[in-house]
Amino acid sequence: MSNADVAAEVRSGTKRYPGVTALDGVDFSVRRGEVRALLGKNGAGKSTLIKILSGAERLDSGEALIGGTSIEGLGTRDVAALGVATVYQELSLVPEMSVAENLFLGTWPRTRGALDLRRMRADAKAAMARIGVDIGVDSPVGSLGAAGQQLVEIARAIAQRPALLILDEPTSSLAADEVRQVIGVVRHVAEQGVAVVYVSHRMDEIRQVADTATVVRDGRIVQTLPVGSASTEGIVTMMLGTAPEAVAVRERRPSAGVVRARPAHRQAERPRHRHPPRRDPRYRRGARLRPYRDTARAGRPRPSGGR
Ligand SMILES: Nc1ncnc2c1ncn2[C@@H]1O[C@H](COP(=O)(O)OP(=O)(O)OP(=O)(O)O)[C@@H](O)[C@H]1O
Ligand SMILES: [Mg+2]
C-alpha cells in the first residue's frame, strides 16, 4: 500500500478516560476506496477511535493523520476541512427544517450576503442524486421515516465530498430493506475512491458492505482481516476473547419508524457470561438429572444466587 493510498491512520494511539483506557496503543489505517468495518462488543473502543479520526477527541499519546497530515491539536472543523465527514450514532438533523436546509446546515449558500435558496435547492438535489436517493429536498426532515432521515444524514456527510466517510452504526434503527439502501449508497461512495469506516454489530450487513474488518477489544486491535476470509464464529471469538457460546451478535430489529436517540456513549458493560459456562459441573449434573427436553434454558439449574 503506497502512502498516497492511505486516507487515515492512527499510530500507537492511546486514549484514556477516567478509570478506563478506551484506546490502548492502537495502530490503524484505511485506504482510499476501502470500506472498513469496525467490530467489537459494547465499550470496546470503536466510537472512541472514530472520535479520534474526526477530531472530536484527542489522543493522550500517539498520532492520528488524515491524508498524511497530523491532526494533533486540530478540532472537528479543521479535520473536516482535511476531508473527514462523520455520521455519529445519534442523528443531528433539525426535524422542522427541509431536507435541503439540513443538508447545508451551517453552510447555507449565500449570494452577495443573502441566503441563496435556489442554489441551496439545486445543490441539495445534486447531492441526493449523487447518492442515487429519491427524496424531495423540500420535505421537512421530520416527515421522513428513520431510513429517510439516516439517508439525509449520510447525504449531508457526502455533500462535503470527504476523503474519509465515517459511519457509526448507521443502520441500527433501520429495517432490512432500508439497510440495503444504505449499503448501496456506501458501496457507491467507496467506488468513487472514498475511504469508509463503518461501525456495525450486524455480521450479515458487514459481509455485504465491507471489504475488510478490524476487530477491537478492550481498546486494542485484535486483528484486521478481509471479511470474506473469516467465519462469523471466528470473528465473534475475537470480539469476545472467548468462544462464542452465548453469542451476542445483535439481531436485526424491525424499524419502529422513529429514530432512536442514543446517549453519546453507553457505559453499560455486559457481563461476559449471563449464564455459567457449559463446562460448569452444575450444568452437567443438571443435564444428567433431567429429561432431554428439559435441557432448554428454562429447565437448566441455576447456580444458587445466580440471576
Ligand atoms: N466521554 C467519556 N467519558 C468516560 N468514559 C468514556 C467516554 N466515552 C467512552 N468512554 C468509555 O470508553 C470505553 C470505550 O467506549 P466507546 O464508546 O469507544 O465504545 P464502543 O465500542 O463504541 O461501544 P458501543 O458498541 O457501546 O457503542 C468504554 O469503557 C466507555 O465507557
Ligand atoms: Mg459506540
Side-chain angles (χ1 to χ4, degrees), residues 42-43 45-48 89 168-169 199 201 262 264-266:
N42 295 117
K46 306 178 296 293
S47 293
T48 305
Q89 275 174 287
D168 197 354
E169 297 202 48
V199 179
H201 288 82
R262 299 235 229 141
H265 69 92
R266 287 159 294 158

Side-chain angles (χ1 to χ4, degrees), residues 17 25 34 59 83 94 105 118 122 126 130 136-137 147 155 175 177 202 232 236 243 245 248 260 263 267 282 301 307:
Y17 291 112
E34 175 183 3
L59 289 171
V94 182
L105 208 59
R118 274 173 68 179
R130 207 156 47 233
V137 298
D177 57 331
R202 297 168 170 173
T232 297
V236 173
E245 277 183 315
R260 274 166 253 226
Q267 303 232 10
R282 285 170 295 202
R307 299 187 310 152

Side-chain angles (χ1 to χ4, degrees), residues 2-304:
S2 86
N3 280 346
D5 282 342
V6 177
E9 199 176 352
V10 173
R11 296 179 186 156
S12 307
T14 292
K15 171 72 191 172
R16 294 185 196 87
Y17 291 112
V20 52
T21 303
L23 293 179
D24 190 1
V26 162
D27 287 309
F28 176 88
S29 77
V30 57
R31 272 184 297 111
R32 298 183 201 285
E34 175 183 3
V35 180
R36 171 73 58 83
L38 272 191
L39 291 165
K41 62 178 182 157
N42 295 117
K46 306 178 296 293
S47 293
T48 305
L49 179 55
I50 278 172
K51 286 175 186 163
I52 296 296
L53 290 173
S54 65
E57 293 278 12
R58 288 186 190 175
L59 289 171
D60 295 310
S61 63
E63 197 180 15
L65 305 99
I66 301 299
T69 302
S70 169
I71 57 170
E72 169 79 39
L74 301 186
T76 46
R77 272 168 188 265
D78 297 325
V79 174
L82 288 174
V84 180
T86 310
V87 176
Y88 287 104
Q89 275 174 287
E90 44 294 312
L91 295 181
S92 58
L93 303 172
V94 182
E96 298 77 21
M97 286 186 180
S98 71
V99 168
E101 286 166 332
N102 269 283
L103 281 179
F104 301 104
L105 208 59
T107 58
W108 285 342
R110 290 179 180 274
T111 301
R112 278 177 249 106
L115 189 60
D116 189 339
L117 285 174
R118 274 173 68 179
R119 204 171 110 210
M120 186 169 76
R121 287 191 73 245
D123 289 355
K125 280 188 177 175
M128 297 309 275
R130 207 156 47 233
I131 64 167
V133 169
D134 184 22
I135 294 177
V137 298
D138 298 316
S139 332
V141 151
S143 71
L144 305 175
Q149 296 198 17
Q150 189 58 265
L151 288 167
V152 171
E153 191 91 41
I154 293 170
R156 181 165 71 176
I158 292 168
Q160 298 166 36
R161 303 215 175 240
L164 172 67
L165 173 65
I166 300 174
L167 301 164
D168 197 354
E169 297 202 48
T171 58
S172 54
S173 58
L174 305 188
D177 57 331
E178 299 165 337
V179 172
R180 271 195 291 281
Q181 214 176 351
V182 169
I183 287 173
V185 167
V186 171
R187 288 302 328 171
H188 182 70
V189 168
E191 275 156 26
Q192 293 167 10
V194 175
V196 181
V197 174
Y198 191 102
V199 179
S200 173
H201 288 82
R202 297 168 170 173
M203 278 308 301
D204 54 341
E205 177 180 325
I206 281 160
R207 288 193 189 285
Q208 291 170 53
V209 77
D211 304 298
T212 48
T214 292
V215 181
V216 186
R217 187 173 76 232
D218 298 336
R220 298 205 178 118
I221 293 196
V222 182
Q223 200 175 329
T224 295
L225 69 176
V227 282
S229 76
S231 69
T232 297
E233 195 184 41
I235 288 179
V236 173
T237 302
M238 287 181 220
M239 284 165 55
L240 301 180
T242 172
E245 277 183 315
V247 173
V249 176
R250 219 177 261 173
E251 294 294 330
R252 195 182 297 295
R253 285 179 300 214
S255 170
V258 290
V259 177
R260 274 166 253 226
R262 299 235 229 141
H265 69 92
R266 287 159 294 158
Q267 303 232 10
E269 283 273 28
R270 296 215 180 105
R272 192 158 274 185
H273 294 290
R274 281 173 163 269
H275 306 289
R278 277 161 211 247
R279 63 177 172 278
D280 187 311
R282 285 170 295 202
Y283 268 88
R284 270 188 251 129
R285 192 167 61 241
R288 243 187 307 166
L289 291 175
R290 284 166 190 275
Y292 182 66
R293 67 176 185 281
D294 269 350
T295 54
R297 183 184 293 173
R300 281 184 193 147
R302 297 289 169 89
S304 56

